[in-house]
Every structure is written in C-alpha cells, then in structure tokens.
C-alpha cells in the first residue's frame, strides 16, 4: 500500500502527497528514470571512486575541508533552487517541484551558521569549479529548462541514497553533536520514506511529456552534472592536500605542525597510495594518544621513579 505524507506537490505547497502513482512499479527501458539510471551508471561509478569521496567514506575528512564542501553545496543548491523556483509552473519541470521535501538551501544556511558563525556570508566564497557548475545550472534554468530535471535528478536522488551514508560518516569523523548541527543538509525532515519518495520522483519523471531526443539530451546533461560534481571533488581534494592535519579536529599532527607537510617522505608515500612504514613521529604520537599506551607509559614512569628512588637511598 502506498503511504501518505505531508508536503508539497507539483508547485502547490502544503498539499498532501499520495503515492498512488508508485503502485505500478513496472518500468520500461524508454522511461526517463531508466534511461537516466542506465545512462549515468559509469559516471556514478567514477564519482564514487574519486579520491575525495573515497577518503570521505573512510572518515578521512578534515573539518576545514568539510566546511568548504558544505559551502560549495550552498552555492550549488542556491542556484539549483533559484532555477527550480523560476520554472515551477513550466510543464517541463512543474511535476518535479517539491520545495518542502527536497529544497536544501535553508538547511545549508543553518550549516553555514554553525560552521562559520553569523557572518558566514563574508567568510565563504564560490570556488572556481563550483562557479562553473553554478553557471551551467543558471544557463539551463533560463535557456534550456527541459534539462533542469537532469540537475535535480543528479543531486536529490543522490542525496536521498548515498548521501545518507555520508551523513553518518561525517557525524562520526568530525565528532559533530548528536543534535545534528552541521549536517542539516543531509536531513530530509519532510520525507518519511526515502525509498518511496524516490519511486514517486521516478514516476513523475516518467510522466513528463518528452520526445526521444529530449530524453537523450537530459541523460547527457545528467552526465555533465556528474562531471561538475567530480570537478568540485577534485578541487576539494587538492585543497585537502594543502591543509595540515591540525585542520582535522582531534587529529594527530604529522611532525610539529611547522613546514610543508607534503615534503615529509612518509606523507608523500601515503598520498601516492604506497604502503610504507609510516612516519615515526606520527606513529609515536598516535600511539601515545591511546589510553592503554598512556597507562603503560605511566606505569613505566612510576617503576623508573621507584627504581631511581631506591638507588639514591
Ligand atoms: C559516497 C558515495 C556514494 C554512495 C555510497 C552512493 C550510493 C548510492 C546508492 C546505494 C544508490 C542506489 C539507491 C537506490 O536505488 O535507491 C545511489 C543512487 C544514486 N546516486 Fe549515489 N552514491 C554515492 C555517490 C554519489 C554521487 C557523488 C552522486 C552525484 C553527485 C550520486 C548520485 C546518485 C544518483 C543520481 C542516484 C539515483 C540512481 C537512480 O536510481 O536512478 N551518488 N547511490
């Protein structure tokens, strides 16, 4: 049975959404949802395998970098949602207009306030790769609105899928409060069942009145959207390399925090993906932070002090 949930539908805020449309789950290979899923499979694999995403999934994300990634999302979603608002009554997009359920800009403003403080707007700027993405979204929204669905699909369907994994990883790795501050972006409070909502979204995409050529252009545009995302990830990855480990809250500094981190031969090996013995200072510092090791060290000091006292007596 389809479930019912509160929300907006096709431009009408505050209406109830019924999932009747999702009862018939049979799909045809010419459905836009299938064409998009199949046609962006390779791009999805590539995006999942970018260094930035792989590191993120392993919890290797510095807080400074996470803040920059969130700022990039703020600029991206501001553009996307501005163009979706512009096209909310345009039949090529109207059935996919779900401001209450999907829109992320307000959530991202809360995250920006949490990370950067009240004057966050003066502290962030749109990066080069993000600007290219933003420019394309505005171009599409204003000149080729039939392609807007590609940008909405690439982001929101992803956020409702892999994005939920990232939320947990970020919360744990960055030791963010359990009150969910800093990860509002990942919280879809008006979606009670992501799987069902995605089904509804697919049904709405399939019901758009589109010819074969337009569908092909939409798939092409979705692949382009994936590329923009990957360019942002690569840019973040490069910035991440130039950040010192201290930028990661609770992280252990490699060396003493002075000088260029990348000149450390052990660190260079790590960046190149080579398995090596690891930096001795880093290893020692990491071990020294373990409670068990601290206990053993304390015991050793006590024994040494006892022995010294016995010797001088
Ligand atoms: C952290 C890495 C990622 C993981 C673990 C991940 C995981 C997943 C999973 C499990 C699904 C299938 C969900 C379902 O069928 O209901 C999915 C779908 C999707 N993901 Fe990702 N994903 C990741 C990264 C990304 C990125 C970077 C993007 C784009 C920016 C993206 C865009 C999408 C889209 C558009 C779908 C919908 C596919 C469809 O059903 O048509 N994902 N993802």
């Amino acid at each position: 049975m389809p479930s019912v949930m509160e929300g907006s539908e096709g431009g009408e805020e505050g209406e109830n959404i019924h999932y009747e449309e999702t009862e018939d789950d049979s799909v045809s290979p010419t459905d836009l949802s299938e064409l998009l899923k199949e046609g962006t499979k390779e791009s999805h694999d590539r995006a999942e395998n970018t260094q930035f995403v792989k590191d993120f999934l392993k919890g290797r994300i510095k807080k400074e970098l996470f803040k920059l990634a969130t700022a990039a999302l703020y600029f991206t979603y501001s553009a996307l949602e501005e163009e979706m608002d512009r096209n909310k009554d345009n039949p090529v997009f109207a059935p996919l207009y779900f401001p209450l359920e999907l829109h992320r800009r307000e959530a991202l403003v809360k995250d920006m306030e949490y990370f950067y403080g009240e004057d966050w707007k003066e502290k962030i700027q749109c990066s080069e790769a993000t600007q290219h993405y933003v420019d394309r979204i505005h171009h599409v929204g204003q000149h080729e609105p039939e392609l807007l669905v590609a940008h909405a699909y690439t982001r929101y369907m992803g956020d409702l899928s892999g994005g939920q994994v990232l939320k947990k990883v970020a919360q744990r790795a960055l030791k963010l409060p359990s009150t969910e501050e800093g990860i509002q972006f990942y919280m879809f409070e008006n979606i009670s069942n992501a799987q069902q909502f995605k089904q509804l979204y697919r049904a709405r995409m399939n019901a758009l009145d589109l010819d074969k050529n337009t569908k092909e252009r939409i798939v092409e545009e979705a692949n382009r959207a994936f590329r923009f995302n990957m360019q942002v990830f690569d840019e973040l990855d490069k910035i991440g390399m130039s950040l010192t480990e201290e930028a990661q809250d609770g992280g252990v500094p490699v060396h003493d925090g002075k000088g260029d981190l990348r000149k450390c031969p052990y660190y260079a090996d790590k960046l190149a993906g080579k398995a090596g013995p690891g930096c001795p200072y880093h290893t020692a510092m990491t071990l020294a932070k373990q409670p068990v090791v601290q206990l053993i060290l304390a015991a050793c000091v006590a024994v040494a002090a006892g022995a010294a006292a016995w010797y001088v007596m």
Side-chain angles (χ1 to χ4, degrees):
M1 270 296 289
S3 67
V4 181
M5 108 185 155
E6 298 289 319
S8 59
E9 182 182 20
E12 300 297 321
E13 291 189 22
E15 278 181 22
N16 284 348
I17 285 183
H18 301 271
Y19 286 119
E20 273 98 37
E21 291 154 89
T22 68
E23 274 190 325
D24 178 11
D25 279 350
S26 62
V27 282
S28 139
T30 56
D31 281 346
L32 183 59
S33 70
E34 277 305 287
L35 291 171
L36 278 167
K37 191 170 188 163
E38 287 306 309
T40 59
K41 226 173 207 159
E42 268 185 48
S43 291
H44 191 273
D45 284 354
R46 273 202 294 275
E48 267 185 294
N49 282 297
T50 50
Q51 198 57 45
F52 175 76
V53 172
K54 283 199 294 188
D55 284 348
F56 196 151
L57 283 176
K58 287 180 193 154
R60 281 196 224 136
I61 175 93
K62 293 162 188 159
K63 194 164 193 176
E64 273 313 304
L65 202 59
F66 186 77
K67 286 165 66 174
L68 292 176
T70 311
L73 290 173
Y74 165 76
F75 290 111
T76 306
Y77 283 84
S78 297
L80 185 55
E81 288 162 14
E82 187 185 327
E83 295 310 328
M84 296 197 308
D85 287 345
R86 188 196 306 282
N87 287 287
K88 68 183 164 100
D89 298 320
N90 187 334
V92 294
F93 188 76
L96 297 169
Y97 187 65
F98 289 103
L100 284 184
E101 291 78 12
L102 293 178
H103 286 201
R104 303 286 82 209
R105 191 182 171 278
E106 270 177 38
L108 284 161
V109 166
K110 285 189 198 150
D111 289 341
M112 291 288 96
E113 280 167 357
Y114 173 72
F115 286 125
Y116 290 98
E118 268 185 20
D119 54 346
W120 59 274
K121 267 197 177 154
E122 285 123 59
K123 292 185 182 155
I124 62 165
Q125 50 187 9
C126 190
S127 72
E128 203 184 325
T130 310
Q131 190 62 54
H132 289 155
Y133 191 7
V134 162
D135 290 347
R136 179 67 190 169
I137 292 170
H138 284 310
H139 168 86
V140 163
Q142 288 160 38
H143 305 288
E144 302 179 81
E146 66 281 10
L147 302 184
L148 200 52
V149 51
H151 288 276
Y153 163 81
T154 304
R155 282 306 329 182
Y156 296 117
M157 291 290 270
D159 298 334
L160 290 171
S161 311
Q164 299 310 295
V165 179
L166 298 180
K167 176 184 98 181
K168 292 202 184 84
V169 174
Q171 209 170 15
R172 209 171 309 137
L174 303 175
K175 301 187 182 79
L176 295 172
S178 55
T179 46
E180 275 142 7
E181 283 160 298
I183 47 158
Q184 285 300 305
F185 167 73
Y186 300 96
M187 311 290 299
F188 287 88
E189 268 152 17
N190 292 319
I191 294 183
S192 53
N193 182 325
Q195 208 55 39
Q196 278 181 350
F197 186 85
K198 283 190 286 187
Q199 276 306 105
L200 168 69
Y201 202 82
R202 288 184 185 113
R204 290 288 180 95
M205 290 198 294
N206 296 340
L208 291 172
D209 185 18
L210 304 165
D211 60 25
K212 188 168 171 278
N213 177 259
T214 310
K215 286 183 190 174
E216 280 167 11
R217 285 174 54 231
I218 291 170
V219 175
E220 209 177 294
E221 188 65 24
N223 280 307
R224 196 192 267 246
F226 268 97
R227 282 199 298 278
F228 280 121
N229 278 279
M230 284 185 262
Q231 280 156 11
V232 174
F233 297 154
D234 288 347
E235 188 184 58
L236 285 166
D237 191 43
K238 285 203 189 86
I239 297 170
M241 285 186 205
S242 66
L243 290 173
T244 58
E245 293 278 317
E246 292 83 69
Q248 176 157 13
D249 273 14
V252 180
V254 180
H255 294 180
D256 56 0
K258 294 175 193 135
D260 186 350
L261 185 68
R262 286 164 298 176
K263 288 187 185 145
C264 168
Y266 299 96
Y267 194 69
D269 273 0
K270 209 166 84 177
L271 288 181
K274 291 184 208 154
C279 176
Y281 179 86
H282 189 191
T283 309
M285 287 301 288
T286 307
L287 280 174
K289 287 216 161 186
Q290 301 291 318
V292 178
V293 177
Q294 281 175 354
L295 210 69
I296 295 169
L297 282 174
C300 288
V301 170
V303 169
W310 177 80
Y311 182 75
V312 292
M313 267 168 51

